Amino acid sequence: MVQLRSGVRHGQLPKKKELIAPIKPPPPTRQAKNRKKKEKARMVRKPQRRTRQKQRKEEDENDGKNVDNCNVSPPLKEVQEEGDQKIVRNPRKRTRQQQSKDEVEDENVVVKKVDNCNVTPLKVQEGNEAARVSGGGTEQDDFFGTTDEDDCFGTSDVDDEENTDPVPELVQVGGSPAYKVERKLGKGGFGQVYVGRRINPPNPDEKTGPGAVEVALKFEHSSSKGCNYGPPCEWQAYKALGGSHGVPQVHYKGQQGDYYIMVMDMLGPCLRDVWYNKFPSISMSSIDMVICIAIEAISILEKMHSRGYVHGDVKPENILLGLPGTPDEKKVFIVDLGCASRWRDSLTGLHVDYHQAPDDFRGTIWFASVHAHLGRTMSRRDDLESLAYTLIFLLRGRLPWQGYQGENKNYLVCKKKMATSPKALCSACPEPFRRFVEYVVNLKFDEEPNYAKYVSLFDWLLGPNPDLRLISTDGATKLLREFDHKRGQSTIEEENNERPNKKVRMGVPATQWISVYDDRWPIKQRYLYNMTDERLSLHIEKGKGDGLFISSVASSSNLWALIMDNGTGIYAQVYEVSPDFLHKEWIMEQWEHKYYITAVAGASNGSSLVVMSKGPLYSQQSYKVSNSFPFKWIRKKWREGFAVTAMATAGSTWAIVMSRGTGFYNQVVELDFHYPSEGLHKRWNAGFRITSTAATSNQAAFVLSMKRGQDDDQIQETLRTTAFPSTHVKEKWAKNLYISSVCYGRTVS
Ligand SMILES: Nc1ncnc2c1ncn2[C@@H]1O[C@H](COP(=O)(O)OP(=O)(O)OP(=O)(O)O)[C@@H](O)[C@H]1O
C-alpha cells in the first residue's frame, strides 16, 4: 500500500500585520477586487482564522493517518477556464544505473556580480536581541566542561571573574538599605548572585521580606549581552512575576557603578547542588522528593503561564528550595527570568505569533525543548518539556544526549532528543514520568497545557497526608481540586491510562517524496522519474520540443526526477549533470550568458543536476554549499534583498540558491528533523506559500514566501509518499493543482 500523507492549504487572507512589507504590493486590479468581493460573500467557508478544533482535525487528517488516496478538500476556486492546453502524462520505465561519485566536502559561496542594483531587504523577522544561551554568554562552549558536573550544568561556581570588574563591597540601590556583599551563592552566564547582609538591621531576626537581614543580590554587568539596551529584561519579568507562587520577590533594584543590581528574597540551594550532595541534609535520592518537585514545579509554571510569561530556561540550576530555617524551607522556587518571554500579547491578549529562526537558540542545551533548539518562538510547551528533562535528570542522573561536543552539538543534541522515545528516556522511572513526557512533547505551539492532569499523574503516587511530603505541594492544591472537579476522583486512573491522541514526535522517521502542489490556471505539465544521467537529455529535448521547460528537479537513489511544464515563463534553458555539488565554473559561465539557476538537485553520490534559465527577472544570484543548513547566510542575504529561489541536498550537504528581483517581499524557513506539519500550517495561515523544498536523511527544509501581487486565496497542498507520487499527481492535475516543488528526504510516518 502506498503510504501517503498530505497537507492541505486552502487560501486564507494573511493577517494584516504580516502584510506590512518594505515593498508595497501593487494595487489590486478591478478583476481582483470583484473576485475579492465574491470571496468575501463566501467568507464563511474560509474564515481568516480556523478554529483550533478545525485546525486540529485538518492536521490529524494530514498527519495522523495512512491513506490510499489523496485526502484533499475541494478547492475554493470554482471557476475553471477551458483551454486548449492538454495535460501530458508521461511516466516511463527506466533502467537503473548507479554511479559512484566523489563525496562533496568543500563549502563555497559564489555570487554573481552585477553593477549597482537597487536593493530592498526582505522582511526579516529577528529573534530576540537579548536572546541568551545560558551558562556561557554567546556560545554554548562553556556549557560542556570536563568534569561530570560542569558537563552537566554549565559554568560551575568556581570564581572566574577575569572578564568582569569585582562586584562592589557595599550595595545600596533604588532606596534600599545598605548591604555588605558577602559570600557568593551562584553564578550563571550573565549574573552573579551574592549574599547581601544588611548593615544595622532594626530587627536582626527578620529573615524574609524587604527588611530581611540577609538578601540575595544579583549583579549583572552593564557590558553583559543582556544589558545591551539598558537594565536586563529580566527586571521586567520579575516585576510581573516576582512574589507570585514560586518566584522570589525583588524588593529593590538599580544601577551602581557598572552593575545592574537586584535585591531579592534569599532562597536555599538549587537542585543542582542538592543533586551533587552539596547539602547533605537534603537528599535527592528519594523518588518521592522528585515527584513532589514535579508537582510543585508544574503548579509554579502554571501560575507563571497564567500571567502571560514563559520561563524559557527551566533546569535544575534554576529550581531552588526555600531558605533553610524559614517557613519556606520545604517550598520550591524557580529563579532566573533572563530568558523569560511573553507567550500572550499584553495588549491584545492573543497568543504571540509563531516563528522559526533556526539559528536563534535560547536556553540551556541539555534541558532545552526541541522547539527551542530549532529556534521556534517560545511557548508554554517549552517550559514543560524542559521540566520533563530536568525531572528525568534528577531521577536517572544522566540524559541520553549528554556528552556531545564540537561545533554542531546543538544539532546533535536536538537530533538525539527527537530520536529518543519517551519510553527509552524514562526507563526505570515510575510510569507517570513517561506519560508526562509523552504529553508535553506532543503539545502544539499554542495549545493550553492540561496542568491539572499532569499534577494528578504524579500526585496519586504520593500518600494522602500532605504533612509527610518531603517538599510542600500546597501550590498544586488548586489544580488538583480543579482536576477532581472536572473528572471525578473515580476516573483518575482511567484518565491516567489515556494516551496522548496526537503523537507528533513519536512517529517512525522515514525517507519519502515530498511534493508540493499549487493551484493555477491549466498548464501542461509532465513528470519523469527514475532517470539515469544518460536518459536525461533525450527527455529534456523531447519536452523542449513540446514547449516544456524544467520547473523542478529532485533525486532519489542517484536517479533523477524532473518536472517540466509550460507555465514557468522560461524561454531558454540549459542544464548540466556534474560530479560536483555544485559545478562552479559551469554556473559562472552560464551567468555570463545571462542564465540563472532555476532548479537544482543533488544525488546521494554527490553529483548534481543544475538547470539554468532565461526568463525569470532576477537581477543577481548567489549560492552556497554547506555541510549544515546555512540559515545565518540566508538571513544575511535576506537583508541584502535576496530570496531563496532553489534548494538541494546531496547526502548531508545543502546547496541554497538565492536571487534578487524575485518579487518575494517576505520569506521564512521551516527546518525540522521531522516533517514540520504544525509550522507549515501556521505559515500557511499567515499567508505564506512553500516556494522551495529540500531534505537530507536527517532534516527537511521548507522555504515559504509572500510574493508581490500574490493571490491570497491560492491553494497549496503537500503530499508525502514512499514512491514517486505518479498516480496522485494525475488526481491533482484534474483539480488544476500542479507540482511546484519536489524533493526526497526526511519525513516521519
Ligand atoms: N534568590 C536567590 N537566592 C539564593 N540563590 C540564588 C538566588 N537567585 C539565584 N541564586 C543562585 O545563583 C545562581 C545563578 O543565578 P541566575 O540563574 O539567576 O544567574 P544567571 O546568570 O541568570 O544564570 P544563567 O546563566 O543560567 O542564565 C542560581 O543557579 C542559584 O544557585
Side-chain angles (χ1 to χ4, degrees), residues 132 134-135 186 188-191 193 216 218 265 267 315 317-318 336:
R132 317 186 339 159
S134 279
F190 295 84
V193 183
K218 181 163 178 178
D265 286 331
L267 303 172
K315 58 179 176 178
E317 211 176 356
N318 286 341
D336 187 6

Side-chain angles (χ1 to χ4, degrees), residues 132-137 155 185-193 215-220 234 238 248 262 264-270 272-273 313 315-320 335-339 364:
R132 317 186 339 159
V133 176
S134 279
T155 322
L185 285 167
K187 179 180 182 293
F190 295 84
Q192 307 173 57
V193 183
V215 290
L217 301 171
K218 181 163 178 178
F219 295 88
E220 199 156 338
E234 181 175 26
Y238 265 113
M262 278 195 303
M264 60 205 295
D265 286 331
M266 192 159 103
L267 303 172
C270 69
R272 156 198 147 156
D273 291 346
D313 194 17
K315 58 179 176 178
E317 211 176 356
N318 286 341
I319 303 180
L320 273 62
V335 299
D336 187 6
L337 302 180
C339 288
T364 302

Side-chain angles (χ1 to χ4, degrees), residues 351-393:
H351 200 290
V352 294
D353 286 339
Y354 169 86
H355 184 57
Q356 185 187 12
D359 65 349
D360 191 9
F361 173 68
R362 292 214 277 169
T364 302
I365 285 193
W366 273 32
F367 302 97
S369 71
V370 296
H371 301 292
H373 279 282
L374 291 166
R376 298 208 165 100
T377 310
M378 295 293 245
S379 69
R380 293 169 286 184
R381 64 182 178 182
D382 299 297
D383 280 349
L384 292 162
E385 188 174 331
S386 295
L387 176 63
Y389 298 148
T390 299
L391 298 172
I392 303 304
F393 176 82

Side-chain angles (χ1 to χ4, degrees), residues 717-736:
E717 299 183 0
T718 60
L719 279 184
R720 284 172 285 154
T721 50
T722 3
F724 188 86
S726 42
T727 49
H728 311 296
V729 174
K730 291 170 197 162
E731 288 162 21
K732 301 282 182 195
W733 282 343
K735 295 187 229 162
N736 281 348

Side-chain angles (χ1 to χ4, degrees), residues 243-278:
S244 73
H245 168 50
V247 182
Q249 176 93 53
V250 172
H251 300 292
Y252 311 96
K253 54 186 185 289
Q255 193 171 6
Q256 185 174 317
D258 285 337
Y259 279 102
Y260 289 106
I261 304 167
M262 278 195 303
V263 179
M264 60 205 295
D265 286 331
M266 192 159 103
L267 303 172
C270 69
L271 296 187
R272 156 198 147 156
D273 291 346
V274 176
W275 200 88
Y276 280 110
N277 285 329
K278 287 193 178 170

